[in-house]
Amino acid sequence: MISFRDFAMRRGERLLLSNVDLTLHAGWRVGVIGRNGTGKSSLFAAIQGEVEADRGDIDVPNRVRIASVAQETPALDDPALDFVLSGDATVYKVLVAEREAVEREDWEAVAEAHHQLEELGGYDATARAGKLLHGLGFSPDTHERAVKEFSGGWRVRLNLARALMTPSDLLLLDEPTNHLDLDAVLWLEQWLLKYPGTLLLISHDREFLDEVTTHTLHLHDGKAKLYTGDYTAFERQRAEHLRLQQITHEKQQAERAHLQSFIDRFSASAAKAKQAQSRVKRLAKMVGTEAVRMERAMRIEFPAPVKLPHALLRLVHADCGYGDHVVLDDVSFILEAGDRIALLGPNGAGKSTLVKSLVGELELLTGERGGHPDLRIGYFAQHTVESLHAGVSPIDHLAEIAPGVPTQQLRDFLGKWNFPGDRAFESVDGFSGGERARLALAMIAWRKPNVLLLDEPTNHLDLDVREALAEALSDFAGAIVLVSHDRHLIGLVCETFWRVADGVAQPFDGDLDAYAVWLRTRDNSNDGKGAAASKAAAAAAAAASAAAPAAKSSRKANPLKLAEAEKRMAELESKLHTLDMDLADPTKYAGGGDNAAELAKQREKIAAELAKAEAEWMALYDAA
């Protein structure tokens, strides 16, 4: 389907790829991998005709329909649902024509539009767009929100949904799991497995690649080599290839010993808890890949904490949330030295809220937060990378938190985090997202924390750095609380899982596979209202129980009106929760905070409407 013949491509003075001769066949799902800067995104641009080859040809048949994710989303007034629908331009044009015909009461035009929809098979287009939004974490009440009202991360999801809506024979996805949580990643996996066309996928998520891909295209040292199989199969084939090149036996044995110690260190704990079976599965994939791992040759580390008390941090009967809105109810959470806890849960359920409450960034609504006097927290939030200072170098960033430390000592430390030589003195303005994330982690490591609270630390990190981070975290002596969509990282690092869902945070007695099963069976209604409706119903039941002794036995509430009132309460709760999520997004405070102020006004209005709806419900019950 796609053929490269003596293909070569440059970016400026740098040769990215040369002498590429290979063919990708229809129906393949190809993972495109390689270190940052090897030409993965440039290859996608060449396939789409956006850049020309410096030599040779790419043959993509003219009839092939290509879909890809846009890099930018304009600040549109269009509702989210319409934006996704417009991915299928032909069907969307007919749907718009139908709406306009209905508005002007032109019934002949309406009939013609219906005829066209039938020919195009477009009657289910709106439902398909809604399912895409639901799968990527958008609650139903957000489907009609204007695109411009969403934050940057949510606009990335909208672009992804629009690309998936676009009819295509070839789908190009560049880091699609960035800005997704684990639930959305699992959903996307299933969608891609059913995709009938050809898929080219750039990703640094090895579990995602293993689940989705049938072939692997490795870009390395200006070459592109095609392997049959998923990422794990690639590693084993690559390892064999490197062994055939007679890599130094002593170095290979040293790496084998390092990996074996990594495995042995967790064999005992794996036998103690069934949750640790995730770790066993992931470690098993790494056996026999010593040569590939040695080729990466990247090591990072979190220094041993200065002090490591046993009891580090706790929440006792804590209600966590924003303002008057409780996201998590009655949380009791104890963190001790050596704990490695992964937080699992649906998008928006409160994982980040729990982490912020543990850090102390978010005040508890009720309950108690306690920490040991020697507690020292290293906190990586989803907005940490954006908080780096423009125009400032890594060494200046580090010097700011390490006043008086000799420059050479700072350079040595940054060198361990792969900022060698003059790289330590370059402005972060020219750094990639992965380099910025690595610098933020290095600054955390410098402080020698005894607790690491990490909320999606792997966004933008390439596979080499992710592997190095997994090993560094596994060696870390303190406690870890991790939120991540990278199952490989979770499986290697974490021994205990907590599930955050439906307003509750509690231990989860199972592994990552068990969580995926729970997620699929949790709510198959796809309307996203189950949690809100059940909460409203529970509140209604409690209020009815309290009111029962005072009610006259002859009274009977109107069931229909009560049901409508409960539905209204559920809808308002859902809107309130969405606004709370937006208010918790640091990007909303950019540019002077006008956007955040408007959101705060909207929240105040919705909260007032909810209070009124609850009062009306009580009045209905008492005056039936």
Side-chain angles (χ1 to χ4, degrees), residues 363-597:
E363 291 292 329
L364 300 181
L365 304 183
T366 62
E368 175 190 351
R369 175 185 181 273
H372 192 278
D374 293 322
L375 174 68
R376 185 176 292 184
I377 292 176
Y379 176 39
F380 186 100
Q382 296 183 48
H383 57 79
T384 299
V385 173
E386 283 72 31
S387 67
L388 296 175
H389 306 309
V392 178
S393 68
I395 203 154
D396 287 337
H397 273 96
L398 201 57
E400 185 177 337
I401 63 173
V405 176
T407 300
Q408 188 58 50
Q409 187 176 342
L410 299 179
R411 292 186 67 175
D412 291 345
F413 182 83
L414 287 169
K416 294 178 181 178
W417 285 81
N418 207 25
F419 294 106
D422 293 340
R423 198 75 174 132
F425 295 91
E426 295 179 14
S427 166
V428 298
D429 293 358
F431 282 15
S432 67
E435 288 169 324
R436 288 168 174 261
R438 185 156 27 94
L439 175 57
L441 288 167
M443 293 170 67
I444 290 171
W446 174 268
R447 294 182 170 98
K448 298 184 178 180
N450 47 30
V451 170
L452 291 174
L453 302 179
L454 307 176
D455 192 350
E456 294 291 358
T458 62
N459 278 352
H460 307 296
L461 297 184
D462 62 28
L463 279 160
D464 292 10
V465 183
R466 290 188 187 204
E467 291 287 356
L469 178 62
E471 294 196 20
L473 291 177
S474 71
D475 287 335
F476 179 62
I480 299 171
V481 177
L482 174 65
V483 178
S484 178
H485 63 264
D486 189 325
R487 283 158 293 167
H488 183 67
L489 179 69
I490 293 173
L492 288 179
V493 172
C494 297
E495 300 169 350
T496 306
F497 303 130
W498 274 56
R499 185 173 65 199
V500 181
D502 300 330
V504 177
Q506 59 189 1
F508 178 67
D509 187 22
D511 61 9
L512 287 171
D513 294 333
Y515 174 74
V517 172
W518 172 83
L519 190 66
R520 286 195 295 270
T521 58
R522 173 175 180 261
D523 180 8
N524 293 318
S525 64
N526 283 346
D527 62 4
K529 297 180 181 177
S534 63
K535 190 179 291 185
S545 176
K552 294 181 180 179
S553 59
S554 60
R555 285 184 180 176
K556 289 186 179 178
N558 184 318
L560 181 59
K561 289 186 177 180
L562 277 175
E564 290 175 350
E566 290 171 7
K567 181 180 178 182
R568 173 67 174 157
M569 288 164 57
E571 290 173 348
L572 289 170
E573 281 189 343
S574 179
K575 289 182 179 179
L576 199 64
H577 180 57
T578 300
L579 286 168
D580 286 328
M581 289 172 60
D582 285 342
L583 282 167
D585 185 347
T587 62
K588 297 294 184 183
Y589 299 88
D594 292 342
N595 196 12

Side-chain angles (χ1 to χ4, degrees), residues 42-55:
S42 297
L43 185 67
F44 274 22
I47 290 172
Q48 295 178 90
E50 296 173 359
V51 298
E52 293 186 2
D54 287 273
R55 188 181 70 242

